[in-house]
Amino acid sequence: MYRPVPGIVMRSQSIFEMDVDLNLKVSNYEETVRQLDVYYGIVKRQLLHYQSPITGLFPALSNEKVIASVRDSIYCAASIWSLYQAYRRIDDDRGKSYELGQSAVKCMRGILECW
């Protein structure tokens, strides 16, 4: 809880300081989106490319599309879900967050179906 100290007057920010804060937030937002897009590209190439369209599971080995691994699928779904949460947090509505969320849900449903 904030308690003001007697005798100390807090000054408000000037217009210039507020403008600098706003520019820092915008540049930080753009940098965050750029970094998330880099991670999205990695996830798209290394994980989503190998997800089964029918079961939603991920293969045990990247070149083998027949045998799925539950453990590897859980790890993949967790990483995809975390990237989905990051996109959702920055409120980015370009369809990437929806794709990531649905891929993670499809994988978890596939695991439940197999068990």
Side-chain angles (χ1 to χ4, degrees):
M1 186 167 101
Y2 172 74
R3 293 182 187 167
V5 178
I8 297 179
V9 178
M10 300 294 289
R11 74 175 183 90
S12 62
Q13 288 184 333
S14 68
I15 301 286
F16 177 73
E17 289 172 346
M18 286 190 285
D19 189 39
V20 168
D21 287 344
L22 183 63
N23 285 336
L24 284 175
K25 288 179 183 175
V26 169
S27 66
N28 192 17
Y29 174 81
E30 291 170 354
E31 176 65 22
T32 302
V33 170
R34 188 190 65 74
Q35 189 65 37
L36 285 177
D37 287 343
V38 168
Y39 290 137
Y40 176 79
I42 293 169
V43 166
K44 186 82 169 172
R45 283 189 310 273
Q46 294 183 358
L47 296 178
L48 295 179
H49 178 72
Y50 297 104
Q51 188 176 19
S52 170
I54 297 169
T55 62
L57 299 176
F58 293 92
L61 301 172
S62 61
N63 59 357
E64 186 174 322
K65 298 239 180 198
V66 179
I67 300 172
S69 170
V70 173
R71 184 190 64 197
D72 293 344
S73 293
I74 289 174
Y75 291 149
C76 292
S79 64
I80 292 169
W81 186 259
S82 63
L83 186 58
Y84 161 72
Q85 291 294 327
Y87 267 110
R88 221 178 86 193
R89 178 168 285 243
I90 65 166
D91 198 28
D92 187 48
D93 192 18
R94 292 184 291 172
K96 293 178 182 178
S97 62
Y98 181 78
E99 178 188 9
L100 292 168
Q102 292 304 312
S103 294
V105 168
K106 184 171 183 67
C107 179
M108 295 310 275
R109 284 183 179 164
I111 291 170
L112 289 173
E113 184 72 29
C114 290
W115 274 354

